Amino acid sequence: MESIKNKVAFVTGGSRGIGQAIVRKLATAGVNVAFTYNNSADVANKLVEELSGPETQVIAVKADNGDADSIVSAINKAHQTFGKLDILVNNAGIGTMATLPDITLADFDRIIAVNVKGVFVAIQAGAAVMNDGGRIINIGSTVADRNAFPGTALYGMSKAAVAALTRGISRDLGPRGITVNTVQPGPIDTDMNPADSQFADLLRSAMALGHYGSTNDIAELVAFLASPSAKFITGASIDIDGGLSS
Ligand SMILES: NC(=O)c1ccc[n+]([C@@H]2O[C@H](COP(=O)([O-])OP(=O)(O)OC[C@H]3O[C@@H](n4cnc5c(N)ncnc54)[C@H](OP(=O)(O)O)[C@@H]3O)[C@@H](O)[C@H]2O)c1
């Protein structure tokens, strides 16, 4: 993989889980990183302390992904701090588990605001300041294409929208050499989908590899897509799911 050293990245939802692994991976590869968090200020500040060094700067900005203004101002702050933007990772996301009679319109609006509108806003504001040849990587889900059990309709809808945005925006940004891709994880052991939850055995039984992935598995793929080596991949939705979709 070609080097991403000295690039600048903006990562949403970098305080915990997959986002935290992405921030770690990029920072240890020599990327200056700005990341957002919503509730986990303490964890975010510890991560900044741990990863900031003489060669790599990491900053955390509080920004609710469901609030367009706060995302735009976080991206502008990152751009002002580092003077450029090369890589945008839309990772922040929420899940809901409810079957049809129990889905509320408040759940519907919130998941669209955080998982879809927030992604669009970050792409629009990020692309406006991004260098030509930049990278946009959205974290979707295999649930965009297949629902393993009831209760995932809203979440799957939101991730299918991310995949569709990715395809469309790859066409808009292709002339600038900016690639836009979605990484679609399967079961990854995080607070959102713990490997010891009541659904975990069901998920494992449906996977070719039979076990959950780690947050670092996703971070490795994100780092590759962010690198010059991935310059011909765009508009793609890439499953990384231990064979859940196979
Ligand atoms: N884990 C899986 O199996 C799996 C599978 C497929 C896709 N995904 C996707 O991967 C992404 C990360 O999931 P995860 O499993 O790492 O989740 P997680 O453990 O719940 O962590 C979520 C992260 O996103 C942040 N976040 C949540 N809501 C936010 C908001 N409104 N504004 C800003 N940040 C927000 C959280 O920050 P705070 O704590 O600061 O609020 C946290 O850093 C999500 O898009 C998820 O849909 C996960």
Side-chain angles (χ1 to χ4, degrees), residues 175-243:
R176 292 177 52 197
I178 296 176
T179 66
V180 191
N181 292 292
T182 292
V183 167
Q184 298 195 152
I188 303 297
D189 187 17
T190 65
D191 295 340
M192 181 187 280
N193 186 5
D196 59 0
S197 80
Q198 59 175 314
F199 306 108
D201 282 340
L202 183 60
L203 285 168
R204 273 188 283 267
S205 71
M207 298 166 73
L209 296 181
H211 63 83
Y212 270 53
S214 73
T215 56
N216 194 52
D217 292 331
I218 306 304
E220 294 277 0
L221 177 56
V222 169
F224 172 71
L225 288 172
S227 77
S229 307
K231 63 182 179 304
F232 199 55
I233 304 173
T234 196
S237 292
I238 302 171
D239 289 342
I240 171 164
D241 66 353

Side-chain angles (χ1 to χ4, degrees), residues 12-19 36-41 63-66 91-94 110 114-115 139-142 155 159 185-193:
T12 65
S15 43
R16 293 183 292 113
I18 291 170
T36 66
Y37 64 93
N38 192 30
N39 294 311
S40 306
D64 178 356
N65 224 59
N91 163 79
I94 52 172
R110 181 67 181 159
V114 174
N115 289 11
I139 307 300
S141 168
T142 52
Y155 181 64
K159 295 300 190 179
I188 303 297
D189 187 17
T190 65
D191 295 340
M192 181 187 280
N193 186 5

Side-chain angles (χ1 to χ4, degrees), residues 120-141:
F120 172 77
V121 168
I123 291 174
Q124 195 176 47
V129 294
M130 183 174 274
N131 292 329
D132 287 0
R135 298 280 184 270
I136 298 175
I137 300 148
N138 303 316
I139 307 300
S141 168

Side-chain angles (χ1 to χ4, degrees), residues 42-226:
D42 288 352
V43 189
N45 291 333
K46 268 191 204 138
L47 192 63
V48 168
E49 239 175 73
E50 180 195 327
L51 296 176
S52 295
E55 298 209 342
T56 311
Q57 209 185 333
V58 177
I59 63 167
V61 187
K62 179 172 165 59
D64 178 356
N65 224 59
D67 173 0
D69 290 345
S70 74
I71 297 170
V72 172
S73 73
I75 286 179
N76 290 338
K77 182 173 178 181
H79 187 242
Q80 278 158 14
T81 304
F82 296 120
K84 63 172 186 166
L85 179 66
D86 305 295
I87 301 159
L88 165 65
V89 183
N90 277 302
N91 163 79
I94 52 172
T96 56
M97 281 293 291
T99 52
L100 188 60
D102 298 321
I103 293 173
T104 68
L105 290 183
D107 290 340
F108 189 102
D109 289 344
R110 181 67 181 159
I111 206 160
I112 289 291
V114 174
N115 289 11
V116 183
K117 189 176 172 189
V119 171
F120 172 77
V121 168
I123 291 174
Q124 195 176 47
V129 294
M130 183 174 274
N131 292 329
D132 287 0
R135 298 280 184 270
I136 298 175
I137 300 148
N138 303 316
I139 307 300
S141 168
T142 52
V143 181
D145 300 321
R146 183 178 299 174
N147 299 58
F149 44 76
T152 56
L154 278 192
Y155 181 64
M157 171 192 68
S158 72
K159 295 300 190 179
V162 169
L165 265 180
T166 296
R167 289 191 294 272
I169 292 171
S170 71
R171 297 276 181 182
D172 296 347
L173 294 178
R176 292 177 52 197
I178 296 176
T179 66
V180 191
N181 292 292
T182 292
V183 167
Q184 298 195 152
I188 303 297
D189 187 17
T190 65
D191 295 340
M192 181 187 280
N193 186 5
D196 59 0
S197 80
Q198 59 175 314
F199 306 108
D201 282 340
L202 183 60
L203 285 168
R204 273 188 283 267
S205 71
M207 298 166 73
L209 296 181
H211 63 83
Y212 270 53
S214 73
T215 56
N216 194 52
D217 292 331
I218 306 304
E220 294 277 0
L221 177 56
V222 169
F224 172 71
L225 288 172

Side-chain angles (χ1 to χ4, degrees), residues 3-9 26 29-32 55-56 82 84 86-87 131:
S3 172
I4 49 178
K5 198 169 165 29
N6 297 326
K7 302 275 185 197
V8 170
L26 295 178
V31 175
N32 292 311
E55 298 209 342
T56 311
F82 296 120
K84 63 172 186 166
D86 305 295
I87 301 159
N131 292 329

